[in-house]
């Protein structure tokens, strides 16, 4: 098999498995970004000086705020969380006039924390995540030290986006952060429904560095 055939086969394979690659160029945060620090009740802040995070107080009215061990907090928005010990279904309602009919990458972040943190039970939960009424994914924390990310590309039908955590009897749901990133409507064409993340592949990179918005002089971190 020649080099051209090998290359074409690789490209088709990547497309077939819906390999999810989001190309992010270093740039300042867009005004249409939505970055919510769940369980945080202070003033807005800039994470690493680039992305502005806000409290979740304005988009949810249930749940309890907790902090995890400061020795384990990988970033400001993962140093606290909101837990939902009461009720079967608890929802975030996020309003954005720009969201209706436009593609968004929606990311939910879950950091339980080691050493029995945050609830001193050392019993990582499993629960369901819903987006605008449809099942998004099942969140299963395998180990207390895990940092779990759930991502989906979604086109909201209205200016309101609903992210709900559903208790399935396998532990108390919680969430650390919610992030919405606008995408060009011409990419990831689908006839209906949303696209869940399968994997992210950096094609062509010669290093293991990851990138984020606005990181010109700061060390590389996970894609934000």
């Amino acid at each position: 098999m020649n080099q051209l055939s090998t290359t074409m086969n690789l490209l088709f394979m990547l497309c077939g498995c819906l390999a999810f690659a989001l190309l992010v160029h270093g740039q300042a945060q867009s005004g249409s970004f939505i970055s919510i620090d769940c369980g945080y009740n202070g003033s807005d802040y800039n994470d690493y000086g680039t992305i502005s995070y806000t409290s979740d107080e304005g988009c949810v009215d249930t749940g309890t705020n907790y902090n995890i061990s400061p020795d384990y907090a990988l970033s400001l928005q993962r140093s606290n969380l909101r837990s939902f010990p009461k009720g079967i279904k608890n929802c975030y309602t996020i309003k954005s006039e720009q969201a209706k009919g436009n593609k968004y990458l929606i990311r939910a972040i879950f950091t339980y924390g080691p050493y029995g943190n945050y609830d001193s039970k050392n019993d990582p939960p499993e629960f369901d995540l819903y987006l605008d009424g449809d099942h998004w994914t099942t969140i299963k924390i395998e180990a207390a030290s895990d940092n779990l990310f759930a991502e989906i590309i979604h086109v909201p039908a209205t200016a309101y986006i609903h992210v709900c955590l559903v208790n399935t009897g396998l532990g108390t749901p919680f969430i650390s952060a919610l992030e919405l990133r606008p995408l060009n409507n011409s990419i990831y064409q689908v006839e209906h429904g949303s696209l869940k993340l399968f994997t992210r592949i950096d094609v062509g990179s010669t290093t293991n560095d990851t990138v984020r918005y606005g990181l010109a002089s700061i060390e590389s971190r996970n894609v934000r």
Side-chain angles (χ1 to χ4, degrees):
M1 183 178 293
N2 60 38
Q3 184 176 0
L4 178 59
S5 298
T6 302
T7 302
M8 293 301 295
N9 286 338
L10 176 60
L11 291 174
F12 282 123
M13 181 177 66
L14 290 175
C15 293
C17 68
L18 289 178
F20 179 75
L22 176 63
L23 181 61
V24 183
H25 297 287
Q27 55 185 304
Q29 175 180 346
S30 166
S32 55
F33 272 32
I34 299 174
S35 304
I36 300 170
D37 187 338
C38 303
Y40 173 72
N41 58 8
S43 302
D44 294 359
Y45 66 88
N46 288 338
D47 179 34
Y48 302 121
T50 58
I51 298 179
S52 178
Y53 280 83
T54 187
S55 167
D56 64 353
E57 294 289 337
C59 51
V60 65
D61 56 8
T62 57
T64 305
N65 295 349
Y66 285 91
N67 297 106
I68 68 169
S69 169
D71 295 332
Y72 188 71
L74 299 180
S75 59
L76 292 176
Q77 80 276 11
R78 279 183 269 171
S79 64
N80 35 252
L81 57 86
R82 186 178 289 264
S83 174
F84 299 95
K86 297 182 180 179
I88 301 298
K89 187 176 184 180
N90 291 272
C91 297
Y92 280 81
T93 300
I94 305 165
K95 182 179 180 181
S96 173
E97 296 296 342
Q98 299 178 21
K100 181 179 179 180
N102 292 310
K103 270 194 185 91
Y104 268 80
L105 182 148
I106 302 176
R107 177 189 294 122
I109 302 173
F110 307 87
T111 301
Y112 183 79
Y115 320 121
N117 237 340
Y118 65 97
D119 55 8
S120 301
K121 294 181 180 180
N122 196 27
D123 186 20
E126 178 179 337
F127 52 91
D128 284 342
L129 197 63
Y130 278 72
L131 175 61
D132 286 345
D134 295 322
H135 183 264
W136 174 354
T137 189
T138 295
I139 302 300
K140 185 175 182 180
I141 310 296
E142 299 285 356
S145 59
D146 286 351
N147 293 282
L148 190 61
F149 293 75
E151 294 185 2
I152 193 168
I153 293 178
H154 179 65
V155 181
T158 71
Y160 293 89
I161 300 169
H162 304 280
V163 177
C164 300
L165 293 84
V166 177
N167 191 325
T168 57
L170 298 174
T172 301
F174 74 93
I175 187 168
S176 302
L178 269 172
E179 302 174 343
L180 284 77
R181 305 290 183 253
L183 299 178
N184 191 309
N185 283 336
S186 65
I187 66 174
Y188 302 113
Q189 293 294 324
V190 292
E191 293 183 3
H192 58 82
S194 303
L195 289 175
K196 290 196 296 183
L197 173 67
F198 174 68
T199 188
R200 177 180 284 114
I201 300 174
D202 186 353
V203 180
S205 175
T206 58
T207 71
N208 290 324
D209 291 343
T210 52
V211 295
R212 61 174 287 154
Y213 281 84
L215 261 183
S217 58
I218 304 176
E219 63 186 79
S220 295
R221 302 179 186 270
N222 289 336
V223 173
R224 291 289 182 265

